[in-house]
Each structure stands twice: as C-alpha cells, then as structure tokens.
Amino acid sequence: VKNELSVANSVFFDNRSGLGGVFYIGGQDGQLSSINNTYYQSLAGNSGSVLFDASGGTATVRWYNNINSGELVEPDEALIVQTSIGSVFEGTNNISGGQTLSGENNLVVDPQFVSTNIRNLDLRLSHCSPAVNAGDDARLPMGISLDFEGNPRQFNTVDIGAFELQSDPFEITAVETDAVSCFGDSDG
C-alpha cells in the first residue's frame, strides 16, 4: 500500500493545525495505523482535532488502544473527522474524552492520568484508570515489547495509551450503606 503510516507507543501533546490537529489524510490509497498512542490537547482550527480524512474514499484508518483526551475542540467539532464516504475506519478499545468512536469497546470516559496540571503534566495512567488492562492484545504490533518510557509493554493485558502501568491497578468496590459520616460533628 502506498502512503502508509504506522504510529505506536507515542505521545502527541498540544498539536495545532487547520485540519487534523495530528494527522491529515489527503492522498489516495492512504493507510494510517495508530496503536497504543496518547493524544492530549490537540487542536484543529476547522475540524478533526486528531484526524481529518479527505482522501476521497480510499483511506483505511486503523485506530486501536489509543487515548484521545483533553482535546480543545468547539462543542460541535469532532475528534476524528471522516469526510470520505468510502473510507474504512476500524477502531477498538479506545478511550475518548468527548467523541464516541465507532467500533467495539470504545469508551467515552476520563482516562485518569496521573496529572493533567500543566505545571506537572504526567500522562501516565493512574492506578484507577479505566485504560489499565483494557486494551486488545491482538492489536499490539509484532516487535513492540516496550511502552513509551521503555517499560515492558504488557504487564497483564495491554493497557490503552502509550504508557503501561507497571503494577496491578487498584480495585474499586462500591459499598452500599445507610450510614452518614459528618466531619466536625460535636456528638463526639
């Protein structure tokens, strides 16, 4: 396939463009594979804060195990825009901060990074992240054994995004109770 680009285990932060804040597909027969990447605060002036497809209907986009979050989009702007009717979009096991993606096991949730404070930005996954152990092992490219930081790519099931949590995640259990706790109550 001509015009083929594969990107894995990468972090894209604060990308800016008129169309497609990170990727713009404009040629015929294009193929883009994005696997286990983290896209944070991308902005497109017109449309597609991460991807804009203007290929004329012949592009194939494979979007697996990615986190698309913190995008600076207008309320009606999409994260990923496909304008080509004949294009193929395959997407599974992605987390998006705003737009629902077609495909299986895609979530619209906060990925729970360690810190999104710009002074202390840390896009690694927290122990409570829904991205931990939520990826699709079958989509991990052959030869990829390390994450963005050089840690083993799979601790258990592959995580979604560029970083692999190197320990078991916290288990959160909801407990139903009728008890009421009040701090500062004078009843002792």
Side-chain angles (χ1 to χ4, degrees):
V1 176
K2 65 179 183 175
N3 301 322
E4 180 177 339
L5 175 65
S6 294
V7 181
N9 286 339
S10 297
V11 175
F12 295 86
F13 168 68
D14 202 27
N15 286 285
R16 311 294 170 126
S17 178
L19 293 171
V22 179
F23 300 110
Y24 177 87
I25 301 174
Q28 298 288 318
D29 300 321
Q31 179 172 306
L32 170 65
S33 296
S34 176
I35 304 164
N36 283 96
N37 297 297
T38 298
Y39 300 92
Y40 187 73
Q41 288 192 344
S42 297
L43 175 66
N46 292 321
S47 198
S49 63
V50 173
L51 168 67
F52 186 83
D53 171 11
S55 65
T58 58
T60 299
V61 177
R62 293 185 173 92
W63 206 262
Y64 306 122
N65 299 341
N66 295 294
I67 295 176
N68 316 303
S69 182
E71 273 60 37
L72 306 169
V73 297
E74 297 297 324
D76 60 347
E77 181 184 351
L79 235 45
I80 297 173
V81 173
Q82 272 186 274
T83 60
S84 303
I85 294 173
S87 289
V88 176
F89 180 86
E90 300 173 4
T92 59
N93 296 83
N94 296 290
I95 290 182
S96 171
Q99 177 188 5
T100 302
L101 301 175
S102 61
E104 297 179 17
N105 302 321
N106 293 317
L107 305 171
V108 179
V109 296
D110 181 345
Q112 299 292 314
F113 295 124
V114 170
S115 174
T116 56
N117 181 315
I118 196 67
R119 292 180 183 219
N120 192 27
L121 186 65
D122 187 342
L123 299 178
R124 291 177 299 146
L125 303 176
S126 74
H127 284 84
C128 298
S129 173
V132 175
N133 295 331
D136 182 350
D137 291 337
R139 302 299 184 181
L140 195 60
M142 289 181 52
I144 300 291
S145 60
L146 302 175
D147 73 355
F148 183 77
E149 288 189 309
N151 294 315
R153 179 69 260 195
Q154 288 182 277
F155 185 79
N156 290 309
T157 301
V158 68
D159 294 345
I160 295 175
F163 300 95
E164 188 78 18
L165 185 66
Q166 298 298 305
S167 63
D168 289 323
F170 292 154
E171 188 170 316
I172 301 172
T173 306
V175 177
E176 188 173 325
T177 180
D178 291 332
V180 177
S181 297
C182 297
F183 294 98
D185 194 351
S186 62
D187 290 338

